[in-house]
Amino acid sequence: MNRIARIAAGAAGAAALLAAPVPALAAAQPTAAAQATAATVTTCGWSGLQAGLSTKVCADVTGDSVVLYGQIGLAGPPSPGTPWPPAPQELLTRLSAEVVGGGALSAVNGRTVFQVSTVRVDGGTVHAPCGSTVHASFSVEAIWRGPAPVTVDVPVVC
């Protein structure tokens, strides 16, 4: 068999394997309707910058369930001459959510220590009516810095 014939035979064999149905795999796959209801969509708002920190708020939406969380990180590399690692900072956090045109869903206030690594601040899970929009707000403050809330609006598509 020459080289071209071997390549053609290999390609034909690969095509036959890919075209063959795999019943066990097909049975294990959820239906399109089940995939649509179980899909989680993550949406994050724009980052906010304040005194060297970058903050943002995110929401994971699955059906009518919305998981809210905020993130705190460094806004960029340290300035030359800045001691490294920086001293830990105790921050006051507030994460709140409401249905647009409706009422408040939740508000979580807390304390978080931030030093260098990105910190996730969990706000819990809320349930909103299908077809509504959830507005979430996340703010961080310290003794020497006031809050500068960041927001995100997420549709609840069931």
Side-chain angles (χ1 to χ4, degrees), residues 81-104:
T82 302
W84 195 257
Q89 303 174 43
E90 184 172 354
L91 305 170
L92 302 174
T93 60
R94 176 172 172 77
L95 183 58
S96 61
E98 64 183 26
V99 173
V100 174

Side-chain angles (χ1 to χ4, degrees), residues 29 40 52 71 82 146:
Q29 297 294 324
T40 298
Q71 291 182 335
T82 302

Side-chain angles (χ1 to χ4, degrees), residues 6 31 38 69 115 122 151:
R6 277 191 248 169
T31 64
Y69 58 96
Q115 187 168 13
D122 290 317
T151 61

Side-chain angles (χ1 to χ4, degrees), residues 50 53 55 72 89-94 109-112 138-149:
Q50 58 176 337
L53 296 177
T55 58
I72 306 167
Q89 303 174 43
E90 184 172 354
L91 305 170
L92 302 174
T93 60
R94 176 172 172 77
N109 298 317
R111 295 180 181 270
T112 300
F138 178 60
S139 64
V140 174
E141 67 181 290
I143 293 172
W144 48 276
R145 152 189 22 190

Side-chain angles (χ1 to χ4, degrees), residues 4 10 16 22 24-25 30 33 37-38 42 48 50 52 54 78 91 95 108 112 115 123 134 138 148-149 152:
I4 294 175
V22 181
L25 182 60
T37 58
T42 300
Q50 58 176 337
S54 173
L91 305 170
L95 183 58
V108 178
T112 300
Q115 187 168 13
V134 172
F138 178 60
V152 68

Side-chain angles (χ1 to χ4, degrees), residues 36 38-44 58-63 65-67 69 154-155 157:
T40 298
V41 177
T42 300
T43 305
C44 294
C58 300
D60 295 336
V61 180
T62 307
S65 176
V66 182
V67 177
Y69 58 96
V154 293
V157 182

Side-chain angles (χ1 to χ4, degrees), residues 1-10:
M1 217 193 235
N2 68 21
R3 178 190 246 178
I4 294 175
R6 277 191 248 169
I7 292 173

